[in-house]
Amino acid sequence: MDMSSGDLNAPHSMGTTIIGVTYNGGVVLGADSRTSTGMYVANRASDKITQLTDNVYICRSGSAADSQIVSDYVRYFLHQHTIQLGQPSTVKVAANLVRLLSYNNKNSLQTGLIVGGWDKYEGGKIYGIPLGGTVLELPFTIGGSGSSYLYGFFDQVWKEGMTQEEAEKLVVKAVSLAIARDGASGGVVRTVTIDKDGATRKFYPSETLPLWHEELEPQESLLDILSTASPEPMIS
Amino acid sequence: MSELAGTIPGKGGFSFDLCRRNDMLVSKGLKPPSFLKTGTTIVGLIFQDGVILGADTRATEGPIVADKNCEKIHYMAPNIYCCGAGTAADTEAVTDMVSSQLKLHRYHTGRESRVVTALTLLKSHLFSYQGHVSAALVLGGVDVTGPHLHTIYPHGSTDTLPFATMGSGSLAAMAIFESKYREGLTRDEGVKLVAEAICSGIFNDLGSGSNVDICVITKGKQEYLRNYLLPNPRTYVSEKGYTFSKKTEVLFTKITPLRELVEVIEAGDAMEE
């Protein structure tokens, strides 16, 4: 009973655009919300930013099953670690646990992950863990199929020491641009901002995002991309 | 998955070598054994007091309808039910297995089962079989934390949604839900919407058909409405009837013994040492 509209028995994968950026004081993680099974959108409002601890979150891409299982295992190990340590675990430990699972099972897993969070020793940190299990500590990183369209954008717009507002605007703008161009990304934009006071989730419905170049506001200078108005978020 | 006790499972685990061999044989032209699939339309939605699950009742074996009125809504716990699509044996086996595990868990804890427990047990089992257990499930129930609805895919990924459809008829049913679902439906509105979505699958998908089953789960109560709608009754019945006359006329009888029966009478003594 496999339909022409796509193989409904294909493994559930998240086409995806995921982003993690640091700013002075914390990190912002962003993702789209489309989960596809072949050509059918199985979930148009999925949450790809999963909580590992109060201060560490993970963005998932690639196979939905693999990334969910890895996150569940890491959340479990981090919980034990926190109890044994007696204080909140660091982002580095979380990233390392993810890396161990990804690297040691590289033949059976197909998932690219971004670990981001805040701890009192290092502040806001982003770690990219692509297919294969490398760990890369970076000031910002992008992942998923939609990230191909964002490398140029980030090269142009990224700067060190942004404020929280600038960082959030950057992430939302980037995910919207990727959604506009990548068929496997879509739905809404979700962000999680993590700083010393904890994590805040924000949600940007699809109607508020400019998706076509005619809808984007005209710019005076290429360096001015972020000074345009940004959509209003829904905060939870 | 009781081995989740602080260690990652070692390099042992399930061996998929025979799966690769089967794929190789199929590519060489071997016809795999056919099995019973539930082509299926299964749906679930959350309404103001709980969860409503719906399913069609057709089970197919290739192009043939093997069972015109099968039950696709499986019991997991008094407050949790699960609709299954995919290979019928797989959905039955996995839901029965998790249902027993939940019962044991209830004995252990002395508490009502939670939907997330069933969810974790199902997803871990399906993940460890890497998609070879072909069961796509819609799990719904009401527990102390409220109403929950989840979809579980054969590879072990899950989604949590306010309304969900699975199976070959899922596109037809999702079209109905996307246009008519809203939050805070009443029980009657919810049942009507679920029935409409299943009917859409029944009439527009070849793998789904026959009747509509519905299960309404609310806090402390569940109603299993088996065959809630019968939109495909048998309309033509031959007047001549479908039975054949029981009597066959006896014309002639002859009995031929196959062998002469020989009796041997031995007046012998008993054996003695």
Side-chain angles (χ1 to χ4, degrees), chain B residues 70-222:
Chain B
C70 73
E71 283 186 30
K72 300 186 190 180
I73 306 186
H74 308 285
Y75 168 89
M76 299 285 268
N79 57 323
I80 306 173
Y81 276 75
C82 186
C83 306
T87 307
D90 288 341
T91 58
E92 277 288 338
V94 92
T95 47
D96 280 352
M97 184 192 81
V98 172
S99 173
S100 334
Q101 288 177 339
L102 284 177
K103 178 119 204 188
L104 287 172
H105 195 249
R106 279 202 292 285
Y107 282 131
H108 259 94
T109 57
R111 288 175 167 74
E112 190 185 60
S113 294
R114 299 191 187 191
V115 183
V116 286
T117 316
L119 181 72
T120 310
L121 289 167
L122 285 165
K123 78 157 30 183
S124 339
H125 181 84
L126 290 174
F127 181 80
S128 59
Y129 284 88
Q130 288 291 296
H132 290 283
V133 172
S134 178
L137 309 165
V138 171
L139 176 73
V142 179
D143 56 33
V144 285
T145 45
H148 296 276
L149 180 68
H150 301 283
T151 51
I152 308 165
Y153 288 80
H155 286 262
S157 59
T158 59
D159 285 315
T160 309
L161 296 161
F163 56 91
T165 65
M166 294 276 261
S168 55
S170 63
L171 271 66
M174 187 51 100
I176 300 288
F177 274 170
E178 283 284 17
S179 34
K180 297 192 180 173
Y181 180 82
R182 53 185 170 78
E183 277 185 33
L185 290 163
T186 64
R187 182 199 177 278
D188 291 332
E189 288 172 336
V191 168
K192 186 159 160 287
L193 186 56
V194 165
E196 225 180 300
I198 299 287
C199 285
S200 165
I202 286 174
F203 294 121
N204 299 105
D205 174 43
L206 298 177
S208 313
S210 300
N211 317 123
V212 180
D213 283 352
I214 294 199
C215 186
V216 184
I217 311 171
T218 52
K219 191 169 170 55
K221 186 166 95 122
Q222 41 87 322

Side-chain angles (χ1 to χ4, degrees), chain B residues 16-86:
Chain B
F16 292 94
D17 297 334
L18 285 178
C19 297
R20 284 204 291 275
R21 165 250 192 198
N22 290 346
D23 289 338
M24 185 269 291
L25 288 173
V26 167
S27 68
K28 293 233 162 105
L30 175 76
K31 237 174 58 104
S34 77
F35 43 83
L36 194 65
K37 274 185 87 95
T38 51
T40 304
T41 308
I42 49 174
V43 306
L45 63 69
I46 296 196
F47 71 110
Q48 68 186 25
D49 301 322
V51 174
I52 305 178
L53 300 174
D56 73 303
T57 61
R58 173 181 286 185
T60 52
E61 212 172 284
I64 303 170
V65 175
D67 189 347
K68 291 184 277 194
N69 206 2
C70 73
E71 283 186 30
K72 300 186 190 180
I73 306 186
H74 308 285
Y75 168 89
M76 299 285 268
N79 57 323
I80 306 173
Y81 276 75
C82 186
C83 306

Side-chain angles (χ1 to χ4, degrees), chain A residues 20 22 91-92 95-96 98-99 113-116 125-131 133-142 151:
Chain A
T22 55
V91 190
K92 184 181 264 192
N96 204 37
V98 174
R99 184 262 298 182
L113 303 156
I114 298 179
V115 177
K125 281 287 179 203
I126 292 281
Y127 292 86
I129 303 151
L131 262 51
T134 323
V135 196
L136 295 161
E137 199 260 290
L138 299 157
F140 72 91
T141 188
I142 54 182
Y151 285 101

